[in-house]
Amino acid sequence: MSVAVRVIPCLDVDAGRVVKGVNFENLRDAGDPVELAHRYDDERADEVTFLDVSASTEGRATTKEIVSRTAEEVFVPLTVGGGVRSVDDVDALLRAGADKVGVNTAAIARPELIAEIAQRFGSQVLVLSVDARRTRGDTVTPSGFEVTTHGGRRGTGIDTLEWVRQAERLGVGEVLLNSIDADGTSAGFDLEMIAQVRSEVRVPLIASGGAGSTEHFVEAARAGADALLAASVFHFGTFTVGAVKDALRAAGLPVR
């Protein structure tokens, strides 16, 4: 692996505050998004991802005001997602200061949205956010993983691998793969899911969900992730971005 592995703190924002829970539930306050983004800029995070976790559920657009405040004060690249439904939504977020924009629920409802955004702004600004879980009950998919919406609350029956393949064909520039089962558990990334998705797409793969130790980041990178995203361990001071980069470096993996 010659390309540097990126380390990305994620700010899950609800009503203007950063929150974090377990499996997308029991959210607790983690602070002010602009203050946290400042901290991660100082810690030399490669990027910061900002997700409005209630935007799709509440049917409203991402809070552009927080995005613009963050972009004005922080120099690290900023990816923004949550409630993005149209080319105009992407345009507004890019104008507010986002470097990349994530789509999720709206792209599942209308996959052509991916192509429309890529054609207008280029694939490099478009991140497909995939909230995937292991299939359960009567739901069966070829890979054993299904795509969910609304913060993991609704199953779609869509096979995760087929969805990322389709999204790549339509022009998505990166895939942010979040394990709903692992989210917030600190038990480690879903390495099987990462390896399966890595084998299916050529675009950069960001792994999310389950980080609890610096070794977990090393495992995910070795499983095929190009970038590693986490929230709780950074927000609540378990360890720093720098500690993760030190662990990756010690394992022989290139970092910035």
Side-chain angles (χ1 to χ4, degrees), residues 8 28 97 117 131 137 202 207:
I8 306 173
R28 58 177 172 148
I117 295 169
D131 292 330
R202 296 179 302 279

mmCIF file with all atom_site columns, all heavy atoms in Angstrom, residues 8 28 97 117 131 137 202 207:
data_model
loop_
_atom_site.group_PDB
_atom_site.id
_atom_site.type_symbol
_atom_site.label_atom_id
_atom_site.label_alt_id
_atom_site.label_comp_id
_atom_site.label_asym_id
_atom_site.label_entity_id
_atom_site.label_seq_id
_atom_site.pdbx_PDB_ins_code
_atom_site.Cartn_x
_atom_site.Cartn_y
_atom_site.Cartn_z
_atom_site.occupancy
_atom_site.B_iso_or_equiv
_atom_site.pdbx_formal_charge
_atom_site.auth_seq_id
_atom_site.auth_comp_id
_atom_site.auth_asym_id
_atom_site.auth_atom_id
_atom_site.pdbx_PDB_model_num
ATOM 1  N N   . ILE A 1 8   ? -9.719  9.974   10.020  1.00 0.00 ? 8   ILE A N   1
ATOM 2  C CA  . ILE A 1 8   ? -10.796 10.958  9.892   1.00 0.00 ? 8   ILE A CA  1
ATOM 3  C C   . ILE A 1 8   ? -11.718 10.924  11.108  1.00 0.00 ? 8   ILE A C   1
ATOM 4  O O   . ILE A 1 8   ? -12.478 9.977   11.290  1.00 0.00 ? 8   ILE A O   1
ATOM 5  C CB  . ILE A 1 8   ? -11.630 10.677  8.621   1.00 0.00 ? 8   ILE A CB  1
ATOM 6  C CG1 . ILE A 1 8   ? -10.736 10.595  7.380   1.00 0.00 ? 8   ILE A CG1 1
ATOM 7  C CG2 . ILE A 1 8   ? -12.715 11.730  8.441   1.00 0.00 ? 8   ILE A CG2 1
ATOM 8  C CD1 . ILE A 1 8   ? -11.466 10.162  6.114   1.00 0.00 ? 8   ILE A CD1 1
ATOM 9  N N   . ARG A 1 28  ? -25.337 10.683  23.427  1.00 0.00 ? 28  ARG A N   1
ATOM 10 C CA  . ARG A 1 28  ? -24.926 11.612  24.478  1.00 0.00 ? 28  ARG A CA  1
ATOM 11 C C   . ARG A 1 28  ? -24.117 12.752  23.864  1.00 0.00 ? 28  ARG A C   1
ATOM 12 O O   . ARG A 1 28  ? -23.492 12.591  22.819  1.00 0.00 ? 28  ARG A O   1
ATOM 13 C CB  . ARG A 1 28  ? -24.121 10.904  25.577  1.00 0.00 ? 28  ARG A CB  1
ATOM 14 C CG  . ARG A 1 28  ? -22.869 10.203  25.120  1.00 0.00 ? 28  ARG A CG  1
ATOM 15 C CD  . ARG A 1 28  ? -22.121 9.611   26.332  1.00 0.00 ? 28  ARG A CD  1
ATOM 16 N NE  . ARG A 1 28  ? -21.009 8.771   25.916  1.00 0.00 ? 28  ARG A NE  1
ATOM 17 C CZ  . ARG A 1 28  ? -19.884 8.628   26.600  1.00 0.00 ? 28  ARG A CZ  1
ATOM 18 N NH1 . ARG A 1 28  ? -19.702 9.285   27.737  1.00 0.00 ? 28  ARG A NH1 1
ATOM 19 N NH2 . ARG A 1 28  ? -18.926 7.826   26.173  1.00 0.00 ? 28  ARG A NH2 1
ATOM 20 N N   . GLY A 1 97  ? -18.730 25.773  2.220   1.00 0.00 ? 97  GLY A N   1
ATOM 21 C CA  . GLY A 1 97  ? -17.355 25.474  2.624   1.00 0.00 ? 97  GLY A CA  1
ATOM 22 C C   . GLY A 1 97  ? -16.991 24.007  2.670   1.00 0.00 ? 97  GLY A C   1
ATOM 23 O O   . GLY A 1 97  ? -15.859 23.665  3.015   1.00 0.00 ? 97  GLY A O   1
ATOM 24 N N   . ILE A 1 117 ? -24.957 14.321  -9.647  1.00 0.00 ? 117 ILE A N   1
ATOM 25 C CA  . ILE A 1 117 ? -23.972 15.063  -8.849  1.00 0.00 ? 117 ILE A CA  1
ATOM 26 C C   . ILE A 1 117 ? -22.581 14.925  -9.459  1.00 0.00 ? 117 ILE A C   1
ATOM 27 O O   . ILE A 1 117 ? -21.842 15.911  -9.594  1.00 0.00 ? 117 ILE A O   1
ATOM 28 C CB  . ILE A 1 117 ? -23.973 14.564  -7.385  1.00 0.00 ? 117 ILE A CB  1
ATOM 29 C CG1 . ILE A 1 117 ? -25.311 14.873  -6.717  1.00 0.00 ? 117 ILE A CG1 1
ATOM 30 C CG2 . ILE A 1 117 ? -22.830 15.219  -6.599  1.00 0.00 ? 117 ILE A CG2 1
ATOM 31 C CD1 . ILE A 1 117 ? -25.507 14.187  -5.370  1.00 0.00 ? 117 ILE A CD1 1
ATOM 32 N N   . ASP A 1 131 ? -24.687 2.699   5.251   1.00 0.00 ? 131 ASP A N   1
ATOM 33 C CA  . ASP A 1 131 ? -24.917 2.151   6.590   1.00 0.00 ? 131 ASP A CA  1
ATOM 34 C C   . ASP A 1 131 ? -25.350 0.699   6.398   1.00 0.00 ? 131 ASP A C   1
ATOM 35 O O   . ASP A 1 131 ? -26.504 0.433   6.037   1.00 0.00 ? 131 ASP A O   1
ATOM 36 C CB  . ASP A 1 131 ? -26.008 2.942   7.324   1.00 0.00 ? 131 ASP A CB  1
ATOM 37 C CG  . ASP A 1 131 ? -25.578 4.357   7.669   1.00 0.00 ? 131 ASP A CG  1
ATOM 38 O OD1 . ASP A 1 131 ? -24.367 4.565   7.873   1.00 0.00 ? 131 ASP A OD1 1
ATOM 39 O OD2 . ASP A 1 131 ? -26.442 5.252   7.728   1.00 0.00 ? 131 ASP A OD2 1
ATOM 40 N N   . GLY A 1 137 ? -33.218 -12.175 10.413  1.00 0.00 ? 137 GLY A N   1
ATOM 41 C CA  . GLY A 1 137 ? -34.597 -12.595 10.184  1.00 0.00 ? 137 GLY A CA  1
ATOM 42 C C   . GLY A 1 137 ? -34.795 -13.197 8.803   1.00 0.00 ? 137 GLY A C   1
ATOM 43 O O   . GLY A 1 137 ? -34.000 -14.030 8.349   1.00 0.00 ? 137 GLY A O   1
ATOM 44 N N   . ARG A 1 202 ? -13.031 -0.082  -6.857  1.00 0.00 ? 202 ARG A N   1
ATOM 45 C CA  . ARG A 1 202 ? -11.685 0.478   -7.008  1.00 0.00 ? 202 ARG A CA  1
ATOM 46 C C   . ARG A 1 202 ? -11.538 1.841   -6.342  1.00 0.00 ? 202 ARG A C   1
ATOM 47 O O   . ARG A 1 202 ? -10.431 2.289   -6.095  1.00 0.00 ? 202 ARG A O   1
ATOM 48 C CB  . ARG A 1 202 ? -11.340 0.610   -8.507  1.00 0.00 ? 202 ARG A CB  1
ATOM 49 C CG  . ARG A 1 202 ? -11.261 -0.719  -9.239  1.00 0.00 ? 202 ARG A CG  1
ATOM 50 C CD  . ARG A 1 202 ? -10.932 -0.525  -10.722 1.00 0.00 ? 202 ARG A CD  1
ATOM 51 N NE  . ARG A 1 202 ? -11.920 0.331   -11.389 1.00 0.00 ? 202 ARG A NE  1
ATOM 52 C CZ  . ARG A 1 202 ? -13.101 -0.095  -11.826 1.00 0.00 ? 202 ARG A CZ  1
ATOM 53 N NH1 . ARG A 1 202 ? -13.467 -1.340  -11.648 1.00 0.00 ? 202 ARG A NH1 1
ATOM 54 N NH2 . ARG A 1 202 ? -13.927 0.739   -12.425 1.00 0.00 ? 202 ARG A NH2 1
ATOM 55 N N   . ALA A 1 207 ? -13.485 3.163   6.153   1.00 0.00 ? 207 ALA A N   1
ATOM 56 C CA  . ALA A 1 207 ? -14.108 2.233   7.092   1.00 0.00 ? 207 ALA A CA  1
ATOM 57 C C   . ALA A 1 207 ? -14.569 2.982   8.337   1.00 0.00 ? 207 ALA A C   1
ATOM 58 O O   . ALA A 1 207 ? -13.853 3.830   8.867   1.00 0.00 ? 207 ALA A O   1
ATOM 59 C CB  . ALA A 1 207 ? -13.137 1.131   7.480   1.00 0.00 ? 207 ALA A CB  1
#
